[in-house]
Amino acid sequence: MTEGAGRYLRDEADYATDDEERTYREDRGYPKNARPFSSQQTVRRLSDLLDVADRCAQIVRRGEPTFFADEIDGELLRAAAERYLISIGTVVEKLHSDYKDALPDVPWRAVTAMRNLIAHHYDKVDDEVVWQSISRRVPELVDALGLTGGVCDAVLPPHLRNQALRPSDPFPGSTP
């Protein structure tokens, strides 16, 4: 086995030998993500996003006064909302660029920027912005992604449906 033969490329189970990687680059160029698109993986991630959005909706149902309360309940709700926004941003970061490119009107950068703000600059987090995010922005994201009816292959753009990464062929279209 050559050095770097099992090198990690981008995401779980995306390993390649140096020869496979070189062939892939020569034949197809290097995409934004160094892995092929998988509709099953995308549906799974969108399902995760929808689960977290439902948890945000549960916080919103508790009401704005409860969210901003000085008691422990308010503090816990604010902390949970921040964690959920970090989760949504992480899911969005992991979505394949082919999927995100197919939906250019979705504010992908704003979602990841919010995640980065909360995760890395927690001292600058404004509770009002967090409330607006969970009460307005998250439902808007769910609508923009077409997830209001749940998650299935139908939420994917037509040209991305039923595409799967086959474990025996990590670089479809390339020749060994």
Side-chain angles (χ1 to χ4, degrees):
M1 188 182 293
T2 62
E3 183 180 322
R7 192 171 49 178
Y8 181 75
L9 289 180
R10 174 78 175 144
D11 209 341
E12 65 269 355
D14 292 332
Y15 294 87
T17 65
D18 287 338
D19 291 334
E20 288 171 328
E21 181 181 2
R22 188 170 29 271
T23 301
Y24 184 66
R25 270 197 315 256
E26 290 168 2
D27 290 349
R28 300 187 55 206
Y30 222 81
K32 292 178 192 171
N33 288 350
R35 59 184 162 78
F37 179 82
S38 166
S39 60
Q40 292 90 351
Q41 184 179 65
T42 301
V43 167
R44 187 175 66 246
R45 288 192 172 138
L46 292 174
S47 179
D48 293 343
L49 190 146
L50 188 58
D51 289 344
V52 177
D54 288 341
R55 291 186 201 125
C56 289
Q58 291 174 7
I59 292 174
V60 171
R61 282 192 292 271
R62 302 275 309 261
E64 191 172 353
T66 307
F67 183 82
F68 288 104
D70 288 334
E71 294 88 37
I72 190 71
D73 286 346
E75 187 177 328
L76 292 173
L77 288 175
R78 291 188 298 274
E82 289 177 11
R83 182 188 178 284
Y84 295 153
L85 290 173
I86 289 172
S87 296
I88 289 171
T90 301
V91 169
V92 164
E93 285 177 346
K94 289 183 177 186
L95 286 170
H96 198 280
S97 62
D98 289 352
Y99 175 76
K100 292 192 266 190
D101 290 347
L103 299 166
D105 295 334
V106 175
W108 301 115
R109 292 188 79 180
V111 175
T112 55
M114 176 59 97
R115 178 232 176 261
N116 292 337
L117 173 73
I118 294 169
H120 301 292
H121 304 285
Y122 48 86
D123 56 326
K124 297 179 182 173
V125 174
D126 182 352
D127 292 335
E128 183 61 40
V129 173
V130 171
W131 174 258
Q132 290 300 317
S133 295
I134 66 168
S135 65
R136 270 196 19 231
R137 302 287 186 204
V138 171
E140 288 172 0
L141 178 64
V142 169
D143 288 342
L145 298 178
L147 302 178
T148 52
V151 180
C152 64
D153 260 357
V155 300
L156 300 177
H159 70 285
L160 296 176
R161 292 182 189 155
N162 301 318
Q163 292 185 23
L165 172 64
R166 292 178 289 137
S168 62
D169 187 8
F171 299 106
S174 64
T175 55

